[in-house]
Amino acid sequence: MTRPPTAAQRRMIEGADPVTGRLRGTEAQLAALVKRGLAFRHPRPPHDHFLTPAGHRIREAVPETPAVPAPAPDTGVFTARVGGEEEPPATGPARRREVHSAWEGLLELRRMTNPGGAADRPCGWERTHLVRAAALALEAAGHRPAGGDADGYRVRATPQPEAVAVYAPDGPALAACAATLERAGWQAGEYTEPRTRARFVLASPRRV
């Protein structure tokens, strides 16, 4: 790329899905980003367009608003369910398609950015967005997040570097979450909180 993106292209990059880098725009706009090496067209249907590592670098150079404990109400941008949201997105086939597309996009991002194109372990984006990355792995595998009257998994940040805590309503559900994260390239182990005696899974992205 010899020139910085235009104002319109920068708006498209800034508006890309925060999890997968999926882009929205006209075919001409998307093709222009592909030509400049800022996006790629996914080879499998529905052939969505996603940011390349160069596109992600431009996007992450834009100041972001501070993170909040619970996701904001629906803004039209996909957000993985971390569990416990006050206003969770609607469930159903449309949500499942969104989750599947987001997970496929994340696997493609792994192949593009990990050494040797490895898709079996987390990439750099996941290491800087631990809670969202772990939540996407769980939701994509079909685990039910907590919310409303339903009990389910909850993914939370921890004071430890590169680690998240996952809570579940019972032992089998917790073990299933740990197994899913391990298959998704995370190291996961069950622990007990000293004060509350609550069981949880501590998970970290695997490096090798």
Side-chain angles (χ1 to χ4, degrees), residues 149-182:
D149 296 331
D151 204 357
Y153 71 78
R154 297 171 185 265
V155 184
R156 297 294 182 262
T158 73
Q160 300 189 39
E162 289 206 354
V164 297
V166 179
Y167 300 87
D170 53 47
L174 192 64
C177 288
T180 290
L181 289 171
E182 288 175 351

Side-chain angles (χ1 to χ4, degrees), residues 42-104:
H42 201 285
R44 291 187 294 273
H47 301 298
D48 287 330
H49 287 72
F50 298 86
L51 291 175
T52 61
H56 276 283
R57 285 193 292 272
I58 290 176
R59 185 182 189 282
E60 292 181 2
V62 179
E64 296 183 351
T65 55
V68 295
D74 181 22
T75 58
V77 177
F78 174 85
T79 302
R81 291 286 309 276
V82 301
E85 294 90 346
E86 292 184 4
E87 297 184 24
T91 59
R95 176 65 183 181
R96 288 194 292 271
R97 286 194 296 270
E98 283 188 333
V99 172
H100 176 75
S101 179
W103 178 246
E104 288 297 317

Side-chain angles (χ1 to χ4, degrees), residues 88-207:
T91 59
R95 176 65 183 181
R96 288 194 292 271
R97 286 194 296 270
E98 283 188 333
V99 172
H100 176 75
S101 179
W103 178 246
E104 288 297 317
L106 184 56
L107 292 179
E108 191 66 24
L109 185 60
R110 288 182 177 187
R111 283 188 281 267
M112 291 185 59
T113 59
N114 278 341
D120 62 347
R121 62 179 180 271
C123 61
W125 182 90
E126 291 169 272
R127 298 180 192 282
T128 57
H129 301 80
L130 294 168
V131 172
R132 281 189 282 174
L136 177 56
L138 293 173
E139 190 175 1
H143 294 276
R144 184 176 64 181
D149 296 331
D151 204 357
Y153 71 78
R154 297 171 185 265
V155 184
R156 297 294 182 262
T158 73
Q160 300 189 39
E162 289 206 354
V164 297
V166 179
Y167 300 87
D170 53 47
L174 192 64
C177 288
T180 290
L181 289 171
E182 288 175 351
R183 288 193 298 271
W186 296 63
Q187 294 175 320
E190 292 190 33
Y191 297 87
T192 301
E193 290 185 347
R195 287 183 295 178
T196 65
R197 309 307 299 171
R199 294 287 292 173
F200 68 98
V201 166
L202 189 68
S204 300
R206 183 166 54 84
R207 289 191 175 277

